[in-house]
Amino acid sequence: MQTGYRFLEPQALARVKNLSLVARGVVEGFISGLHSSPYKGFSVEFAEHREYALGDDPRHLDYRMLARTERLYVKQYEEETNMRVQVLLDTSGSMNYRYETKITKFEYGGYLTAVLTYLMTRQQDSVGLTTFDTEIRLDMPARSSPRHFNEMMRQIERIEPGGETGVAETLHKLANRFKKRCLIVLISDLYDDPEEVIRALHHFRHRHHEVIVFHVLDKAEIEFPFRDLISFHDLESDDRIQIDPLVVRDAYIEQIQKFIDSYRRACAEMKIDYVLTDTSVPYDFMLARYIAARNRP
């Protein structure tokens, strides 16, 4: 099977399909359950057409489309889909880092975004994509059509990570922008002041959004495997610094664990799902484990 898109790998989709019964239960139970819509019936705000499916109310058939295409379509409205999902993908310069792994943190996030979007779209949920560094670079609203999905895949392929990080400020902006309740999926290395990022995540919860955080790091950032004198290059500021790893290793390990633990604790307190992963872990296996764990009673 060929998908035609860089970040949509056939083998990953095959694994998702093998887990489709589990995934469908999780998406409809956990995600739709968390976002049970307060709206009933059809909204007055038209969104798009979709093909007629057995069980659809024939009152919503579009007979003009039937006359033009000789196919049955129904009018789909904003509140008809199970839920809204907005994926927030960090595209700052630090996401372009890799040490010994095959892919960068951004590429890992791109693959994760693609398979999540595929899964959600298959469940007839609306999915949108926002990319950011210190500014919002792309902001696609949530839709559920195949055309929208294809455009999302094309947009991800065009992204060139760069720029400094502004996670907290961007999240605050987005929390103010999203008026309707939705599921927020944040994919980032979270390299910003943890206290400020946590306040921004709380902003989403205050507005009654559900949040999942995929904290993506390179394995080397967690384990600090360096032994010889090395020059580190800041991918955002372009600064360089030479250090002796043996001198700073213990202090670094302590600080990175504090960094991770601060997010883990705060997310638990806010009832936000926090998933730490590194780019050496296959993203599809990581996602399958997360879904299975979330589905346990």
Side-chain angles (χ1 to χ4, degrees):
M1 177 180 70
Q2 297 297 321
T3 68
Y5 297 113
R6 173 189 171 193
F7 289 110
L8 208 59
E9 296 186 308
Q11 59 268 37
L13 297 187
R15 292 187 187 108
V16 171
K17 286 181 179 179
N18 291 339
L19 297 170
S20 60
L21 292 177
V22 175
R24 184 174 177 82
V26 171
V27 169
E28 294 182 352
F30 133 60
I31 297 180
S32 297
L34 291 178
H35 294 278
S36 52
S37 175
Y39 303 93
K40 302 298 180 185
F42 282 73
S43 161
V44 295
E45 187 180 353
F46 172 73
E48 58 196 11
H49 289 93
R50 64 171 172 78
E51 287 196 56
Y52 173 82
L54 189 64
D56 284 335
D57 190 333
R59 290 177 298 174
H60 302 293
L61 284 169
D62 189 327
Y63 292 99
R64 290 184 180 179
M65 288 289 288
L66 175 62
R68 291 209 315 263
T69 66
E70 297 185 350
R71 301 179 73 173
L72 292 175
Y73 288 89
V74 295
K75 291 182 178 180
Q76 188 172 23
Y77 295 80
E78 289 293 344
E79 299 304 335
E80 183 188 358
T81 54
N82 287 335
M83 66 163 180
R84 296 169 182 273
V85 183
Q86 195 73 23
V87 179
L88 314 182
L89 178 60
D90 186 345
T91 59
S92 60
S94 65
M95 292 290 287
N96 216 21
Y97 177 74
R98 70 175 176 185
Y99 178 53
E100 292 182 332
T101 52
K102 294 180 180 178
I103 60 175
T104 66
K105 292 182 286 184
F106 165 72
E107 290 170 323
Y108 192 94
Y111 287 119
L112 183 55
T113 298
V115 74
L116 275 169
T117 302
Y118 170 82
L119 178 61
M120 302 297 187
T121 302
R122 226 179 83 192
Q123 308 304 322
Q124 298 183 342
D125 293 322
S126 295
V127 190
L129 174 64
T130 302
T131 67
F132 67 93
D133 41 52
T134 54
E135 302 289 337
I136 295 169
R137 301 299 177 183
L138 173 69
D139 199 14
M140 298 181 69
R143 294 283 184 267
S144 60
S145 68
R147 186 191 318 182
H148 181 73
F149 172 80
N150 291 333
E151 182 59 25
M152 283 182 65
M153 296 303 100
R154 285 192 288 268
Q155 289 293 340
I156 296 172
E157 291 184 7
R158 296 185 185 128
I159 294 170
E160 298 263 350
E164 297 185 356
T165 299
V167 180
E169 185 178 353
T170 302
L171 295 184
H172 279 301
K173 288 178 184 176
L174 293 170
N176 285 324
R177 179 182 301 184
F178 298 145
K179 303 302 182 185
K180 297 175 181 177
R181 295 182 187 182
C182 60
L183 172 65
I184 302 296
V185 179
L186 173 62
I187 303 172
S188 171
D189 57 16
L190 301 178
Y191 280 146
D192 201 348
D193 182 342
E195 289 188 5
E196 293 301 321
V197 175
I198 288 164
R199 287 193 190 98
L201 291 172
H202 187 270
H203 194 168
F204 278 115
R205 296 295 290 127
H206 179 71
R207 290 184 170 268
H208 306 292
H209 299 294
E210 294 294 336
V211 182
I212 300 172
V213 175
F214 288 101
H215 192 179
V216 179
L217 296 173
D218 189 280
K219 189 175 183 180
E221 293 176 307
I222 299 173
E223 298 183 353
F224 204 73
F226 314 104
R227 291 290 180 269
D228 300 323
L229 195 67
I230 189 170
S231 177
F232 285 98
H233 176 207
D234 189 319
L235 295 174
E236 296 185 4
S237 68
D238 208 33
D239 292 339
R240 294 178 183 272
I241 184 172
Q242 192 173 62
I243 65 168
D244 183 347
L246 297 179
V247 173
V248 303
R249 186 176 190 278
D250 289 346
Y252 174 87
I253 293 294
E254 181 181 353
Q255 288 302 312
I256 195 70
Q257 286 305 316
K258 285 182 178 178
F259 178 74
I260 291 168
D261 290 343
S262 65
Y263 283 119
R264 183 181 283 117
R265 280 195 308 272
C267 287
E269 290 170 1
M270 290 185 285
K271 294 183 170 35
I272 289 174
D273 278 13
Y274 171 82
V275 184
L276 173 66
T277 188
D278 71 70
T279 53
S280 70
V281 179
Y283 64 91
D284 47 352
F285 289 129
M286 178 276 295
L287 186 60
R289 281 204 308 267
Y290 164 69
I291 290 174
R294 186 60 196 253
N295 196 34
R296 292 193 196 108

